[in-house]
Amino acid sequence: MIDVKNISKTFYVSHEVKALKNVTCRIEKGEVVVIIGPSGSGKSTLLRCLNRLEEADEGHIIVDGVDILDRKTNINKARAEMGMVFQSFNLFPHKSVLENVTLAQSVVRKRSKQEAAERAMALLKKVGIAEKAKVYPDQLSGGQQQRVAIARALAMDPKVMLFDEPTSALDPEMIGEVLDVMKTLATEGMTMVVVSHEMGFAREVADRMIFMDEGAIVEEGTPEQIYSNPRQARTKLFLSQIL
Amino acid sequence: MRRPGQRSRLGRGRFYSHFWMSFFFLGVLATLSGLYYATLKVDYVWRWYRIPQYFYYQENVEVRAYIRGEVAEITREGDVAHVLVIGDGERGEHKLPPDAVHVEQGDTIYPGDVLGSYREWRTGILLLGLWMTLKVSLVAIFAGVFIGLAAGLCRISSNPALKWAAITYVELIRGSPLLVQIFIWYFVLGTLINTLLAQTGFSQLSPIWYGVTSLAFFAGAYVAEIVRAGIQSIHRGQMEAARSLGMSYPQAMSHIILPQALRRILPPLAGQFISLIKDSSLLGLIAIRELTKATREVVTTSLQPFELWFMCALLYLILTFSLSMFVQYLERRAVIS
């Protein structure tokens, strides 16, 4: 489904920062992959490279047979197939909840107003927030906003969902409701790439975990492997710090 | 929350605010009477009653015959009277209001004789000037917004040609006086364009076009900077979210970024529009009779400069104040929706 081959990325902020160093990984269809790692390890950069919100300097990323880093690729078309959920929700504050979910459907997918609204209501029901359809985002709690953001991404009927620390900006009591929605998605067979520190979530739904540090993949494996039997010293150290 | 006029626990009471408000009004009154006293000292005679005629006045219209002959027929149809004068192989027809006719059938008429006279309301020069100022400003505002929006978008574009064109434009305009720009538009570009138009057989453009253009380009540069700041004040995540859904850059701009930016730039934009209305007073220098030039003309004939300049300032104030009220209304609506 997603094939990442030898990508590298360097940022220039007063000095050179190598965010990704020669990263290679594969994500299969229907797989749930959780990426963990200390802050600054490049996990968010890797995720953002997948839909070219960041442009990798070197390497190739093939999503569903399409080379994301090819100049000839229609990136808008490719992005429409990849839903993304952000740490800070990024709902459109000047649009109602319903409009947030219908806008891209009509603008990008060219669906009729009624079709888009029906799809949006079904998804809002699914994430348990249908009664707030007419409300504006600033009247919602963080957890509710993030669930709307998930519905907004799902409305495009993406083939893969990317989650960039979806629960990091939430108050503790709201994390559960967002993780529940994500679990439902996972059980339905959605391909998911999740950057997260939610270890319980990872253990429960991840098919595979990737541990990153200093811009490189240090270790990959099933949750059991990573938790109970990490091979690398850095993985052990990180897990001992957060568990 | 405190009710208006209610004394806060530790704050100042009602007496405090009343005392200082009276102080303020006394100050205003003292300034005005000081001014009035000074004008009396220099023997200036205030004649406010002469001012209304520059807004609206009645003109005596006389209808005169242009041939020699006899009044052959006077027909009254509704509120128009036709006076037919027949002379030696000539005929003259005149239209005027029925009760304005001074002649009767059979009267002998010589060229230049008054057939009738009536009074007609005419728009005064001040009102015409005000209308011209309003017209010029509105056109310049609309054009300026379009120019500014385009230049602002170019300014943040990643294309170097667009970006540097916008930077050059903004810096050139902001770096020179508006009066100089008006002269360049009128005396330099105007001469060039009009000469070229004349050579190719087209009619020439009147000064008002060059005046409006100079104002529009001047305002556009400031609007461009306001637009750029407004767009850049929108969180980066908004653009990322829109793009991640598969929207193109123009789609994301028009659906997500610009609607949000517009709300933020409304107040500084209003300030710019108000400046533009005031700056339009410079157009008098290229023979456009807007409010300031109209006032200057009236002053030279009426010799009542004090009343007229105060009136001129008041008329500008009315224009700018209504505009700022209108923008406040828009702002309130934008906040609610």
Side-chain angles (χ1 to χ4, degrees):
Chain A
M1 181 80 200
I2 301 180
D3 213 349
V4 179
K5 291 177 194 157
N6 306 320
I7 63 165
S8 299
K9 172 78 185 169
T10 309
F11 290 111
Y12 298 93
V13 277
S14 70
H15 62 287
E16 229 179 61
V17 179
K18 282 203 166 205
L20 292 177
K21 298 172 199 160
N22 212 18
V23 171
T24 299
C25 62
R26 267 183 79 86
I27 287 129
E28 301 298 339
K29 193 166 163 53
E31 208 179 15
V32 178
V33 176
V34 175
I35 306 175
I36 57 169
S39 88
S41 59
K43 51 194 193 309
S44 277
T45 308
L46 174 61
L47 193 77
R48 291 162 59 83
C49 279
L50 296 183
N51 66 353
R52 216 167 89 182
L53 282 184
E54 302 289 355
E55 214 177 297
D57 303 327
E58 283 165 53
H60 292 280
I61 299 170
I62 316 287
V63 179
D64 211 20
V66 179
D67 189 346
I68 296 295
L69 290 165
D70 189 342
R71 196 179 285 278
K72 280 176 249 146
T73 301
N74 181 345
I75 190 64
N76 298 323
K77 221 168 198 171
R79 278 179 182 147
E81 307 297 330
M82 287 187 273
M84 188 159 200
V85 176
F86 299 86
Q87 183 179 349
S88 50
F89 329 134
N90 297 344
L91 291 182
F92 307 133
H94 61 302
K95 302 261 179 210
S96 72
V97 164
L98 186 67
E99 288 166 338
N100 262 277
V101 186
T102 54
L103 181 67
Q105 292 190 66
S106 39
V107 171
V108 180
R109 290 273 191 240
K110 310 285 179 212
R111 288 180 189 155
S112 72
K113 221 173 197 170
Q114 200 198 343
E115 195 188 352
E118 276 168 16
R119 179 89 182 106
M121 284 315 293
L123 284 166
L124 288 174
K125 205 168 276 170
K126 182 175 179 176
V127 300
I129 204 160
E131 75 282 2
K132 301 274 189 189
K134 297 271 177 258
V135 157
Y136 282 82
D138 59 359
Q139 289 161 281
L140 299 180
S141 72
Q144 290 172 322
Q145 288 194 42
Q146 193 61 298
R147 284 186 282 149
V148 174
I150 293 174
R152 179 177 70 177
L154 287 174
M156 303 300 289
D157 299 315
K159 295 187 179 123
V160 52
M161 286 284 286
L162 311 174
F163 292 85
D164 189 3
E165 305 205 28
T167 55
S168 300
L170 294 177
D171 290 336
E173 77 270 21
M174 292 168 185
I175 291 174
E177 61 193 62
V178 173
L179 291 181
D180 284 343
V181 171
M182 291 168 66
K183 280 175 205 165
T184 315
L185 274 183
T187 52
E188 286 171 2
M190 174 62 81
T191 312
M192 291 163 67
V193 186
V194 185
V195 170
S196 178
H197 294 297
E198 296 299 329
M199 291 303 155
F201 170 80
R203 192 193 294 266
E204 197 177 326
V205 299
D207 297 309
R208 197 150 52 89
M209 291 182 73
I210 294 175
F211 173 68
M212 288 184 73
D213 195 14
E214 290 179 356
I217 292 178
V218 176
E219 191 167 348
E220 278 183 70
T222 61
E224 287 80 55
Q225 256 178 330
I226 297 277
Y227 285 128
S228 49
N229 193 17
R231 284 177 302 239
Q232 304 288 332
R234 273 191 287 175
T235 318
K236 269 182 210 164
L237 181 66
F238 175 72
L239 287 171
S240 71
Q241 280 165 343
I242 65 161
L243 285 178
Chain B
M1 213 157 91
R2 215 148 47 93
R3 272 179 284 121
Q6 184 197 351
R7 186 184 175 147
S8 80
R9 192 162 157 201
L10 299 173
R12 285 141 169 167
R14 187 175 290 175
F15 174 75
Y16 173 86
S17 77
H18 283 196
F19 175 79
W20 288 107
M21 276 313 276
S22 325
F23 198 82
F24 164 73
F25 284 117
L26 277 179
V28 171
L29 203 64
T31 312
L32 289 180
S33 37
L35 185 71
Y36 184 66
Y37 181 71
T39 59
L40 290 185
K41 273 287 187 199
V42 299
D43 294 328
Y44 188 82
V45 186
W46 292 85
R47 293 196 180 95
W48 281 104
Y49 63 86
R50 283 198 185 170
I51 305 305
Q53 61 172 319
Y54 300 113
F55 288 87
Y56 251 116
Y57 66 99
Q58 274 197 321
E59 197 179 59
N60 199 27
V61 182
E62 289 181 330
V63 180
R64 288 170 189 275
Y66 48 84
I67 59 165
R68 206 192 122 178
E70 194 174 287
V71 177
E73 198 183 350
I74 300 176
T75 47
R76 295 185 160 82
E77 281 174 37
D79 52 354
V80 188
H82 294 271
V83 178
L84 180 64
V85 180
I86 296 188
D88 229 12
E90 305 174 285
R91 48 190 285 137
E93 275 183 274
H94 306 272
K95 265 192 232 175
L96 55 167
D99 48 354
V101 181
H102 291 334
V103 290
E104 278 171 35
Q105 203 165 337
D107 284 2
T108 309
I109 297 293
Y110 292 92
D113 279 3
V114 176
L115 299 175
S117 68
Y118 56 96
R119 298 177 77 76
E120 200 178 57
W121 283 100
R122 293 276 167 90
T123 314
I125 182 171
L126 276 189
L127 211 55
L128 288 175
L130 183 70
W131 172 236
M132 177 62 89
T133 291
L134 192 65
K135 215 163 53 174
V136 165
S137 305
L138 282 183
V139 176
I141 283 172
F142 277 110
V145 165
F146 275 109
I147 296 170
L149 194 60
L153 287 172
C154 289
R155 178 69 181 75
I156 55 168
S157 161
S158 54
N159 180 325
L162 291 180
K163 186 172 138 188
W164 281 98
I167 291 175
T168 312
Y169 162 62
V170 169
E171 294 306 321
L172 272 184
I173 297 288
R174 294 203 306 179
S176 62
L178 175 56
L179 185 55
V180 173
Q181 289 174 33
I182 291 173
F183 284 160
I184 289 178
W185 272 102
Y186 182 55
F187 291 115
V188 181
L189 299 174
T191 309
L192 279 176
I193 293 170
N194 274 349
T195 312
L196 288 175
L197 282 178
Q199 280 175 5
T200 46
F202 290 99
S203 60
Q204 304 202 337
L205 294 173
S206 69
I208 192 169
W209 287 107
Y210 298 106
V212 168
T213 314
S214 59
L215 280 185
F217 274 91
F218 182 77
Y222 288 88
V223 172
E225 281 299 283
I226 294 171
V227 166
R228 179 186 64 81
I231 289 174
Q232 286 177 344
S233 78
I234 303 299
H235 191 264
R236 208 167 55 113
Q238 290 292 312
M239 181 54 104
E240 286 183 350
R243 297 304 301 273
S244 79
L245 288 165
M247 287 189 213
S248 65
Y249 181 84
Q251 284 170 341
M253 260 300 162
S254 64
H255 289 287
I256 306 301
I257 307 298
L258 284 179
Q260 294 184 56
L262 195 66
R263 281 167 208 206
R264 293 195 193 175
I265 67 181
L266 222 40
L269 220 47
Q272 195 54 48
F273 295 161
I274 286 168
S275 298
L276 188 134
I277 290 180
K278 294 184 291 181
D279 289 342
S280 72
S281 62
L282 292 172
L283 294 183
L285 289 160
I286 56 168
I288 295 170
R289 199 201 258 167
E290 41 64 59
L291 184 52
T292 304
K293 179 145 195 302
T295 309
R296 235 171 24 181
E297 285 177 15
V298 176
V299 165
T300 53
T301 56
S302 74
L303 302 176
Q304 296 298 136
F306 291 13
E307 294 91 332
L308 283 164
W309 286 119
F310 279 131
M311 183 49 73
C312 177
L314 184 70
L315 290 174
Y316 275 113
L317 190 68
I318 289 171
L319 284 188
T320 54
F321 189 72
S322 339
L323 182 64
S324 80
M325 284 291 109
F326 176 65
V327 172
Q328 266 185 31
Y329 160 77
L330 282 186
E331 243 177 287
R332 229 172 305 140
R333 238 184 40 168
V335 168
I336 291 163
S337 67

